[in-house]
Amino acid sequence: MHSKQDKKPTLIWFQGLTCNGNTHSFFNLHNLENLLNKFEILYHPSLESTKNIDEITACIFTCDIFIFEGTYDPLMKRNDVLVSEILNYYAKDANYIIAAGTCASFGGMFKASAPERNSGLIFNEADHEGPIIKYKHKVINISGCPIHPEWLGYTLNMVLSKKELEVDKLHRPIELFSNLSHHGCTRNEYFEWKVDSDNFGEKEGCLYYKQGCRAPMTHASCNKILWNEVSSKTRVGTPCFGCTEADFPRQSLYSTKTNMSIPQDMPIGVPKRSYLTLAGIAKTFSIKRLEGKLIDYKKTH
Amino acid sequence: MITKKLIDKIEGEACVYFDIKDRVVDFATIAFPNFRGIQEILKGKNALDALVITPRVCGICGHAHLMATVRAIEDAYKNGGYEIVLNQKIQKIREFTLIMETIQNHLKWIYLTIMPELAQLNKSTKILTPLKSAFGSSIAARAIATFAGQWPHSSYMLPGGITCDPTNIDALKAKSYVDELTSFFEKESLGIGIEEFLAFESCKDFKNMDSDISFIEEELIKAGMNKKGFSHDRFIVLGNHSYTNPSKINQTRIYCADAMCVEDIDSYSPNEKTYAKNAVYSGSYYEAGSLARQMSLNVPIVKNMHRRYKDSAYSRVMARIFELAYLLKESNSILDDIDISEASFNAPQHINAITATGIGVVEAPRGPLVHKVSLEKGVIKEYKIITPTQFNIGSSTKSDPTPAQKSMIGVSKEDALFIFRTFDVCSVCTTH
Ligand code: SF4
């Protein structure tokens, strides 16, 4: 029997200045089809939708969930209508507004296209300002460049099940963003014993000391909820670039800024003095296992 | 009268301005809105930062941008007097992940763009399953992530190698994803085994199938797409890979090609400001992409297709589908002979030592992607990106139309809208 409550929540996915990376990342979600079937998709730029772009930009009906991908540019138009108008129109009646990715959350990569005017929906980097600041209580930021498919999947499922979704100061769900992306990295033991990677392309060593890894300073669960259910940047030897934080993209991403060969930025919450004490002690030991190769292939040639 | 049509359900969006006379397209111009200024963003940055920034040009082919960047920087190393030599393992892993990206791209285009648009054009009642492609593509993305950590937006290639140091566990896992994806494609799309499909030599062989792909083939014929959508019958392939033959092709004659002959020129868009420039090769417009690549390799069925239907919309679509199968097989063999004991990375001279220019050329899913970089002590002075869509879907004058413009002349507007999409438009790449 279909009662009124069975009506599927309506969803619009709309884009600002973007590379489409959040769309394509989300498409990797396992069980995507079942999740999407629980919504009526009024509009998505790549998926079959019940309304077309002309109807959407005409702003004549409302939606329950409004997802915005990309940086907000106040001068940008879609179909000759200012994105700011469209955004404000749907934000007014939506129950939830989801900023998909770092661009929509904080400005991100394409803030640099016009730094003086571009921003996220309710944050301009870490400053609490943006085009729909008056609806901020409804905004959930799922930062990440791109968005992690499972983080958005989780958020949509929370919304569907009407569970309360607690967020941090930057409006990110605490269940996703309380971890640091450092948590769960396969190199954690090297971090503890202060053994750095000599170089890129190695299984061994931690990337915090030389290669620029930002994971200890970055709120994200990339090493807990793996990418594509398979891996993560740091697991394949790429430093974390801190793409979930409001200051992404930083510069000189493949090297660590150091002061007297100590990383300039400390892991979140760790006082420099404590770090130095611990590092000083750890460095006095020489642990063969950690200094050698993890796997020693017997070379026959 | 000029009518404007905003086109979505492509990568990004484009505006086509049709001039319709006697119910057919007399001419059309194309505008791409929404500029992002990546080339400007790159200026003054450390060269290695480009490996993080350029993949963000495009959410569907960012890996091709990563590869173009790493090749451009490596070329700058060479021109600066420090040649970088890559071993087989590094080359193969890079190649493998690039191919996987092309495969996911083609799959999504088949199911999210071609099938729905074709069904609509022919008013077919077939039940469509667009999200199938997302599932298939996610398997390709896993194969990429096995080496590259994640997809989209990986930055695992560096001048001198790759950041990962895989074991045979990873290589075998990647291989099993390829197997899974191949089975998926056989079962869900082809309806026959991939070997049997790859052995096809004539378009008639498509009649031996009953599947999504044969549906597309039949509907293309039904819509007369074998007799429409012709372009200049000139093709260009520039990226050097195990599965390409860089060349320029006039009808069926194949000549050598050199990316140095590529230029971008101002486009002609009288009705709206466009942020795209047109790409030309030695001053002329060439079609790029799967049909071009498969022609350059003399693939029998694609030659047969071209003999029958020239560079029609039919050939463009079917060659792309064929390339998907071709690449699946290629990716499998690449993995077969990776020697994991080779080094993943040979540290080159520090980037600060490099003052030189470099060019990186890659075959992205839609065709040649060219990155040119100019470095001063490792800092980017200039960065230039030319994308495949600039080759295919530029906007020029009536006397010298681009491939997409030419292909739309003389057909109905409805047909033209479909033909436009056979090029697989990527507006986000084009408005970098
Ligand atoms: S590489 Fe990065 S994420 Fe991994 S242990 Fe070191 S600091 Fe943490």
Side-chain angles (χ1 to χ4, degrees), chain B residues 34-85:
Chain B
N34 311 328
F35 181 61
R36 290 169 302 148
I38 296 247
Q39 294 175 161
E40 284 303 310
I41 295 175
L42 285 161
K43 273 189 199 161
K45 301 262 158 58
N46 180 305
L48 300 183
D49 286 356
L51 300 159
V52 181
I53 296 171
T54 71
R56 275 126 178 126
V57 168
C58 181
I60 199 164
C61 72
H63 219 67
H65 284 277
L66 172 65
M67 183 110 150
T69 298
V70 83
R71 282 186 168 180
I73 301 176
E74 281 169 351
D75 190 45
Y77 265 99
K78 182 174 159 205
N79 297 336
Y82 301 97
E83 183 161 4
I84 288 174
V85 181

Side-chain angles (χ1 to χ4, degrees), chain A residues 181-183 185-189 191 205-208 213-216 223 234 240:
Chain A
S181 66
H182 170 68
H183 297 166
C185 174
T186 47
R187 298 165 191 270
N188 279 171
E189 195 185 18
F191 176 88
C206 167
L207 308 167
Y208 172 61
C213 190
R214 303 273 322 156
N223 267 310
T234 64
C240 166

Side-chain angles (χ1 to χ4, degrees), chain B residues 21-162:
Chain B
K21 290 207 174 101
D22 299 328
R23 301 226 187 96
V24 297
V25 176
D26 189 54
F27 188 53
T29 58
I30 301 147
F32 291 101
N34 311 328
F35 181 61
R36 290 169 302 148
I38 296 247
Q39 294 175 161
E40 284 303 310
I41 295 175
L42 285 161
K43 273 189 199 161
K45 301 262 158 58
N46 180 305
L48 300 183
D49 286 356
L51 300 159
V52 181
I53 296 171
T54 71
R56 275 126 178 126
V57 168
C58 181
I60 199 164
C61 72
H63 219 67
H65 284 277
L66 172 65
M67 183 110 150
T69 298
V70 83
R71 282 186 168 180
I73 301 176
E74 281 169 351
D75 190 45
Y77 265 99
K78 182 174 159 205
N79 297 336
Y82 301 97
E83 183 161 4
I84 288 174
V85 181
L86 302 174
N87 63 33
Q88 285 290 309
K89 177 177 114 175
I90 295 167
Q91 292 184 41
K92 285 191 165 148
I93 291 177
R94 284 182 181 183
E95 196 89 332
F96 173 77
T97 55
L98 184 75
I99 292 180
M100 283 293 129
E101 179 174 83
T102 297
I103 289 174
Q104 65 79 35
N105 177 81
H106 288 10
L107 255 183
K108 284 176 184 160
W109 171 79
I110 292 171
Y111 283 96
L112 295 173
T113 303
I114 291 300
M115 277 181 85
E117 295 295 332
L118 200 50
Q120 195 189 345
L121 187 66
N122 287 349
K123 305 197 171 54
S124 150
T125 52
K126 184 177 165 85
I127 296 171
L128 300 173
T129 50
L131 285 176
K132 207 152 116 169
S133 67
F135 180 77
S137 297
S138 75
I139 304 171
R142 282 166 200 236
I144 299 174
T146 308
F147 299 110
Q150 68 181 84
W151 188 91
H153 294 354
S154 160
S155 299
Y156 90 114
M157 300 179 197
L158 279 174
I162 47 181

Side-chain angles (χ1 to χ4, degrees), chain A:
Chain A
M1 223 178 60
H2 287 273
S3 66
K4 221 178 169 183
Q5 285 97 319
D6 290 338
K7 208 175 153 310
K8 294 176 180 180
T10 53
L11 184 153
I12 290 177
W13 182 302
F14 203 78
Q15 293 177 319
L17 222 43
T18 182
C19 69
N20 282 5
N22 303 293
T23 285
H24 288 290
S25 186
F26 182 52
F27 282 178
N28 288 323
L29 182 70
H30 199 76
N31 219 8
L32 176 72
E33 190 158 5
N34 284 339
L35 176 62
L36 290 181
N37 280 339
K38 294 180 181 141
F39 298 92
E40 180 188 346
I41 302 188
L42 297 179
Y43 184 75
H44 185 289
S46 327
L47 294 175
E48 221 178 357
S49 316
T50 52
K51 309 278 183 226
N52 63 36
I53 183 79
D54 294 331
E55 292 169 301
I56 289 296
T57 53
C59 296
I60 37 181
F61 43 84
T62 60
C63 69
D64 300 319
I65 299 148
F66 187 77
I67 300 181
F68 192 82
E69 167 180 19
T71 302
Y72 167 73
D73 173 351
L75 300 184
M76 184 180 180
K77 289 178 176 174
R78 281 240 185 260
N79 212 9
D80 299 326
V81 186
L82 277 172
V83 168
S84 97
E85 255 172 60
I86 298 169
L87 197 51
N88 270 284
Y89 173 80
Y90 289 106
K92 186 165 155 278
D93 292 315
N95 298 325
Y96 300 91
I97 301 158
I98 298 175
T102 299
C103 284
S105 301
F106 308 123
M109 183 58 78
F110 301 120
K111 179 173 165 57
S113 308
E116 68 296 344
R117 62 169 197 258
N118 290 1
S119 70
L121 294 184
I122 57 166
F123 283 95
N124 183 4
E125 294 183 358
D127 297 338
H128 215 351
E129 60 187 41
I132 53 167
I133 193 87
K134 64 178 173 214
Y135 304 116
K136 65 177 182 199
H137 56 283
K138 300 197 255 188
V139 175
I140 303 163
N141 282 335
I142 309 177
S143 55
C145 186
I147 198 167
H148 191 304
E150 289 184 60
W151 302 350
L152 181 53
Y154 154 85
T155 305
L156 289 173
N157 275 313
M158 287 294 279
V159 164
L160 276 172
S161 58
K162 301 203 167 66
K163 289 203 173 119
E164 184 161 355
L165 196 81
E166 232 183 285
V167 295
D168 66 11
K169 274 201 208 100
L170 293 172
H171 281 242
R172 302 175 296 193
I174 54 169
E175 288 191 311
L176 297 172
F177 290 92
S178 294
N179 281 94
L180 303 179
S181 66
H182 170 68
H183 297 166
C185 174
T186 47
R187 298 165 191 270
N188 279 171
E189 195 185 18
Y190 296 102
F191 176 88
E192 285 156 24
W193 293 95
K194 312 296 161 217
V195 178
D196 53 16
S197 249
D198 287 336
N199 237 319
F200 291 105
E202 294 179 356
K203 286 185 261 302
E204 306 81 9
C206 167
L207 308 167
Y208 172 61
Y209 309 99
K210 289 183 188 161
Q211 284 84 5
C213 190
R214 303 273 322 156
M217 289 76 75
T218 301
H219 292 95
S221 39
C222 300
N223 267 310
K224 184 181 165 213
I225 307 173
L226 293 180
W227 276 89
N228 309 90
E229 300 180 341
V230 171
S231 195
S232 72
K233 281 203 192 69
T234 64
R235 287 183 179 210
V236 300
T238 307
C240 166
F241 303 125
C243 75
T244 50
E245 295 297 352
D247 60 0
F248 179 78
R250 301 165 60 91
Q251 297 210 25
S252 295
L253 294 157
Y254 288 92
S255 63
T256 305
K257 268 221 174 69
T258 53
N259 282 334
M260 310 208 315
S261 62
I262 303 293
Q264 185 187 294
D265 293 334
M266 290 289 105
I268 290 172
V270 175
K272 196 152 209 159
R273 268 229 331 247
S274 325
Y275 179 86
L276 286 176
T277 313
L278 200 70
I281 298 172
K283 288 235 178 211
T284 59
F285 302 116
S286 150
I287 298 161
K288 276 240 143 45
R289 178 172 62 80
L290 295 180
E291 278 155 15
K293 280 274 165 208
L294 181 67
I295 302 175
D296 220 350
Y297 289 104
K298 294 235 171 1
K299 288 262 167 57
T300 46
H301 43 271

